[in-house]
Amino acid sequence: MLQSLEIRDLLIIDHLVLDFQPGLNVLTGETGAGKSILLDALGFVLGWRGRAATVRAGADLGEVTAVFSLPPGHPAHAVLEDAGLPAGDELILRRTTTPEGRRTARINDRRTSAEALRALSETLVELHGQQDDRGLLNASAHLGILDDFAGLRGEVDKVNVLWTKARAASEAVAQARARLEAARAEEDYLRHALDELDKLAPAPGEDADLDSRRRLMQAAERIGEDIARAAQGLGPDGAEGQMAAAMRWLEGAAAKAEGRLDEALAALGRALNELGEAQDGVTRALDEMRFDAAELEQVEERLFAIRALARKHGCVPDDLAALRDDIAAQVAALEGGESDLAGLREAEEAARAAHLRAARALSERRARAAAALDTAMAEELAPLKMERTVFRTVLGPADPGPAGIDRAVFSVATNPGAPAGPLNRIASGGELSRFLLALKLCLVRGAPGAVTMIFDEIDRGVGGATADAVGRRLQRIAEAGQVLVVTHSPQVAARGAHHWHVEKTVTGGATLSRVSALDAAARTEEIARMLAGDRITAEARAAARALLAG
């Protein structure tokens, strides 16, 4: 419910605070007094497109603040939660604008966007007028109106869930088919590449091992002869033989040298030991570096083959084994792709069948609801002096979708024998007002109002008993929640539980719009003015009192 609306420095309003109440709130006043400004200001704070706000001349900032009460379970709570905005029993919307057009919006003192305001406003306020194109006169919304009337939103949600599953299943089929087609396009290449990799069978680390062996064999070819000469120079025909001979000569002389050769003999013994170790190392080196020329050729061929294959696939040699596994998986997927695709197609068919079953069941309920809505509309239109009008909810087939398999159009024939047609093309302005009112009455039957409904001069073009019927029905709608009505009809104004008067004044050369709440006496005077015009007579006051008593 809209609790209050505060406007500062917009157009011809300097400062205005309106405290609205539950039930039917009426706003009256002369044409041009500023009633439309109030709706523009409310639309501005709600983020509605097309609701411009101009800063009052001489002011630095225009501001509108709207306060709503939110009972538990109100749909606005979900919007606030999704947007990460603070929520509570009270909702405060504030929006400002500068003379240059810079605008700032806040929800519960948290800065936000106009888009967030608009999303929230859809749960808070409905605006209806003769040129209404936001809901009842929008043909694309008629199916939703029928569902609301019949209480089918739960079933629609279930159909929507099944549609989402069917779409996901279709997407899975499309993706699987695309992968299979892509694999088929590369099938020859994949099988050739796999065969090539399997024949070579490169292992991780093999490239480095082959390269090391190749370098070792190439080095042995260059230095092997030098190592062999060194081995010969260290052996019996070389240093070993000479040192052994020297050892024998010194040992023969040592007995007569009286110890003078002992240190030399010991050093020579150690040298012979070290020489032996050197000979062993050289011999091992010769053994390890001994190779077959054919082996070198084989190593080089495999090394070059591995590197060439790595270049071909744009990877390092150590990744070839992983590449082989990936290609093998693609080939396996190709071989099993048809089977997998068949399984996905079965799942898609099952999902679509489930959606179609639920949609057909929903369609049957909609058909019954359409007949009930037509009957209810006939009951509501008769008191509005449209008893000869024929209202029909025309259901037709639609492509399967989240709302099922139906489309709905409200069709009317306003005169006997006249052809029927879409509501927004056949009805006149005054008739549109009454159609809108009758539809809203059908929708609120037995349901508490979650939103504040605003009717902007919906009674234009009607008068007398018809205007009285409009007022009574607005009063009935307001019993389920809160209704704001901008009206020029005294019959409608008399049905209000709360009455505000809008007037334009000139103070100090400045034109300002003022709004005042009317007490019982002031209401009588205002309704008398609406009946009689500028000159209020006793008869007009008596008629006003009769309407108010009515």
Side-chain angles (χ1 to χ4, degrees):
M1 185 186 76
L2 177 62
Q3 290 182 315
S4 67
L5 181 68
E6 182 177 6
I7 307 169
R8 289 183 181 273
D9 294 324
L10 285 183
L11 292 169
I12 58 173
I13 296 176
D14 55 353
H15 184 216
L16 178 64
V17 178
L18 295 176
D19 294 319
F20 293 105
Q21 304 295 325
L24 182 59
N25 298 260
V26 297
L27 291 91
T28 63
E30 297 285 357
T31 299
K35 298 184 296 297
S36 62
I37 296 176
L38 300 180
L39 296 186
D40 286 340
L42 180 60
F44 172 69
V45 77
L46 290 170
W48 290 349
R49 292 185 176 90
R51 296 288 175 172
T54 302
V55 178
R56 186 173 63 86
D60 296 326
L61 187 74
E63 179 180 84
V64 181
T65 302
V67 180
F68 291 83
S69 60
L70 297 184
H74 193 286
H77 288 294
V79 177
L80 292 169
E81 182 178 356
D82 290 342
L85 294 167
D89 296 337
E90 189 175 74
L91 175 66
I92 303 174
L93 309 181
R94 181 175 289 110
R95 201 173 184 206
T96 62
T97 183
T98 66
E100 296 77 24
R102 293 191 299 272
R103 298 174 180 179
T104 301
R106 294 183 180 276
I107 297 176
N108 287 342
D109 284 332
R110 181 81 59 83
R111 188 161 181 171
T112 187
S113 64
E115 288 74 14
L117 285 177
R118 282 192 287 273
L120 194 58
S121 72
E122 292 180 0
T123 69
L124 298 171
V125 175
E126 284 184 9
L127 173 64
H128 301 288
Q130 291 195 56
Q131 304 304 319
D132 187 346
D133 61 359
R134 298 178 60 245
L136 298 179
L137 298 187
N138 182 359
S140 64
H142 291 179
L143 189 63
I145 293 172
L146 177 62
D147 290 336
D148 286 337
F149 169 76
L152 296 176
R153 282 299 178 182
E155 284 76 3
V156 174
D157 290 342
K158 292 176 183 177
V159 169
N160 187 18
V161 169
L162 292 172
W163 171 253
T164 301
K165 292 180 179 178
R167 286 290 301 273
S170 297
E171 184 64 24
V173 168
Q175 291 177 357
R177 184 182 293 115
R179 288 194 299 268
L180 187 59
E181 290 174 355
R184 282 173 178 164
E186 297 186 354
E187 182 174 3
D188 291 341
Y189 163 75
L190 291 173
R191 293 190 181 279
H192 171 73
L194 181 60
D195 182 65
E196 196 174 37
L197 285 163
D198 281 342
K199 286 180 179 178
L200 189 60
E206 186 178 4
D207 174 77
D209 182 61
L210 289 172
D211 185 61
S212 176
R213 288 173 59 192
R214 172 174 170 260
R215 285 187 283 104
L216 182 62
M217 285 188 281
Q218 288 175 336
E221 193 175 30
R222 292 191 300 270
I223 66 175
E225 186 176 344
D226 291 339
I227 296 174
R229 288 198 188 99
Q232 185 177 4
L234 293 174
D237 294 332
E240 181 186 0
Q242 293 180 11
M243 291 178 70
M247 190 78 170
R248 289 194 302 274
W249 293 335
L250 290 174
E251 285 176 345
K256 298 178 179 181
E258 297 182 358
R260 291 183 176 85
L261 296 175
D262 292 346
E263 291 183 6
L265 285 169
L268 188 57
R270 291 194 300 272
L272 281 169
N273 289 335
E274 293 291 337
L275 181 62
E277 291 182 10
Q279 286 177 305
D280 290 342
V282 171
T283 300
R284 284 196 303 273
L286 280 173
D287 291 340
E288 291 173 358
M289 298 182 71
R290 187 174 291 111
F291 70 96
D292 184 355
E295 182 186 3
L296 174 60
E297 184 177 352
Q298 292 173 357
V299 168
E300 288 183 333
E301 286 180 358
R302 183 163 179 79
L303 179 63
F304 295 155
I306 289 175
R307 290 181 173 177
L309 195 58
R311 287 194 298 273
K312 179 179 179 179
H313 291 289
C315 65
V316 297
D318 281 352
D319 289 343
L320 286 173
L323 176 65
R324 183 267 168 206
D325 293 341
D326 181 60
I327 293 177
Q330 292 183 59
V331 171
L334 179 64
E335 293 171 346
E338 283 294 348
S339 175
D340 293 342
L341 185 58
L344 290 173
R345 285 197 185 105
E346 290 179 4
E348 178 191 19
E349 291 175 2
R352 289 194 175 277
H355 171 262
L356 189 57
R357 284 194 301 272
R360 284 172 175 166
L362 176 60
S363 186
E364 292 175 0
R365 296 195 61 180
R366 282 170 170 164
R368 294 193 295 270
L373 178 59
D374 295 345
T375 300
M377 282 293 291
E379 294 174 358
E380 295 297 344
L381 288 172
L384 294 172
K385 307 305 178 184
M386 299 181 73
E387 60 276 359
R388 294 185 178 183
T389 297
V390 177
F391 177 94
R392 288 288 180 267
T393 305
V394 181
L395 281 176
D399 292 336
I405 54 174
D406 305 304
R407 63 181 180 85
V409 176
F410 295 149
S411 174
V412 298
T414 56
N415 295 298
L423 174 65
N424 56 353
R425 294 183 183 177
I426 298 298
S428 66
E431 290 168 336
L432 280 175
S433 300
R434 286 174 278 173
F435 275 120
L436 291 172
L437 186 57
L439 274 169
K440 292 308 295 184
L441 280 163
C442 293
L443 291 176
V444 301
R445 287 182 176 183
V451 299
T452 294
M453 283 184 279
I454 301 175
F455 293 89
D456 184 14
E457 299 188 14
I458 198 171
D459 51 359
R460 180 180 294 176
V462 299
T466 303
D468 182 64
V470 169
R472 291 178 184 276
R473 273 144 186 79
L474 287 170
Q475 190 177 31
R476 277 175 48 195
I477 295 175
E479 291 172 359
Q482 183 186 52
V483 176
L484 274 61
V485 179
V486 176
T487 182
H488 287 282
S489 168
Q491 291 89 346
V492 172
R495 295 295 167 184
H498 314 281
H499 193 155
W500 280 266
H501 180 242
V502 184
E503 62 180 338
K504 189 183 295 183
T505 64
V506 178
T507 304
T511 301
L512 297 175
S513 182
R514 303 291 185 192
V515 181
S516 55
L518 302 184
D519 58 18
R523 287 193 72 189
T524 301
E525 287 297 303
E526 171 60 8
I527 292 175
R529 180 199 64 77
M530 296 172 74
L531 287 166
D534 292 337
R535 186 170 176 271
I536 302 175
T537 63
E539 291 79 3
R541 290 188 178 92
R545 284 191 290 269
L547 284 177
L548 288 167

